[in-house]
Amino acid sequence: GQQLNQSPQSMFIQEGEDVSMNCTSSSIFNTWLWYKQEPGEGPVLLIALYKAGELTSNGRLTAQFGITRKDSFLNISASIPSDVGIYFCAGPFNQAGTALIFGKGTTLSVSS
Amino acid sequence: DTGVSQDPRHKITKRGQNVTFRCDPISEHNRLYWYRQTLGQGPEFLTYFQNEAQLEKSRLLSDRFSAERPKGSFSTLEIQRTEQGDSAMYLCASSPFGTSGGANTGELFFGEGSRLTVL
């Protein structure tokens, strides 16, 4: 079945550093989504990408839809302590696009 | 608060008991989803409703699981004869039909989840 592989699994960084993480798929996606989950909460949508090559920003976050449509990247610039959490990539796995498959997440820790 | 609401937030039960979770979606959202999340994993799709119609079910949804959305508003997820492997966070999400980018964009609004522990 389809799988989403996220890398790295975890990151430990200093406040102010930039962060890069990526997600690869075994098949082509028409939509890529990035969610963040904090402890005890549900995931929250950060960025949605709909077109190959698309680059979209949300504040200090920038995400790209890979040209091959099998990968996506998320960058966080000038990290702050509240960036701590688990970042998930996701994409629709059924033809109707109504069901998402999620990666296993990248856990980000930020020390001040 | 106008977000997705789930109840209860935590449930501890003994193996073999039945449990029911409730989800109240964002009021104008006609799509409602159930996902399951275990430790160290991303959410896994279980099922989704458009209004009151259950349109898709995952193979993860064994016959011990049943979900309903009788009036197209709130939904319930029942697990019968719980097993220890059912221990997980059960997440509900909702979305409006026809958001930007097309009708099926995956832009889901999740609740805080209902954590189930089966002893």
Side-chain angles (χ1 to χ4, degrees), chain A:
Chain A
Q2 288 185 330
Q3 289 187 38
L4 293 184
N5 297 306
Q6 284 192 249
S7 174
Q9 186 174 354
S10 60
M11 304 181 75
F12 299 86
I13 62 169
Q14 294 276 344
E15 184 177 359
E17 289 185 16
D18 296 343
V19 171
S20 290
M21 60 188 78
N22 68 75
C23 186
T24 58
S25 167
S26 55
S27 55
I28 288 172
F29 280 159
N30 292 319
T31 302
W32 280 98
L33 305 126
W34 286 92
Y35 285 83
K36 178 188 177 186
Q37 187 174 29
E38 298 183 14
E41 305 289 330
V44 174
L45 180 66
L46 298 174
I47 293 178
L49 302 159
Y50 303 108
K51 188 176 176 182
E54 180 181 355
L55 191 71
T56 297
S57 293
N58 178 6
R60 294 176 296 104
L61 277 62
T62 302
Q64 184 162 23
F65 193 141
I67 292 292
T68 65
R69 294 164 63 192
K70 289 187 175 183
D71 56 8
S72 180
F73 308 89
L74 178 69
N75 296 315
I76 306 173
S77 62
S79 58
I80 59 178
S82 62
D83 290 334
V84 165
I86 306 175
Y87 292 80
F88 292 101
C89 61
F93 70 84
N94 62 341
Q95 194 166 5
T98 50
L100 298 182
I101 181 172
F102 284 77
K104 292 187 177 183
T106 293
T107 300
L108 180 64
S109 301
V110 180
S111 59
S112 54

Side-chain angles (χ1 to χ4, degrees), chain B residues 52-108:
Chain B
E52 66 275 9
Q54 188 173 16
L55 296 185
E56 188 150 353
K57 292 194 285 188
S58 162
R59 288 172 304 195
L60 293 175
L61 213 66
S62 76
D63 56 7
R64 296 185 297 106
F65 288 69
S66 62
E68 293 184 343
R69 194 182 183 198
K71 296 182 180 178
S73 57
F74 73 91
S75 175
T76 58
L77 176 68
E78 181 183 18
I79 309 174
Q80 295 182 325
R81 305 181 303 281
T82 52
E83 301 172 356
Q84 288 185 324
D86 296 333
S87 295
M89 175 79 84
Y90 289 86
L91 292 163
C92 177
S94 68
S95 70
F97 183 82
T99 55
S100 61
N104 305 308
T105 62
E107 295 182 20
L108 306 184

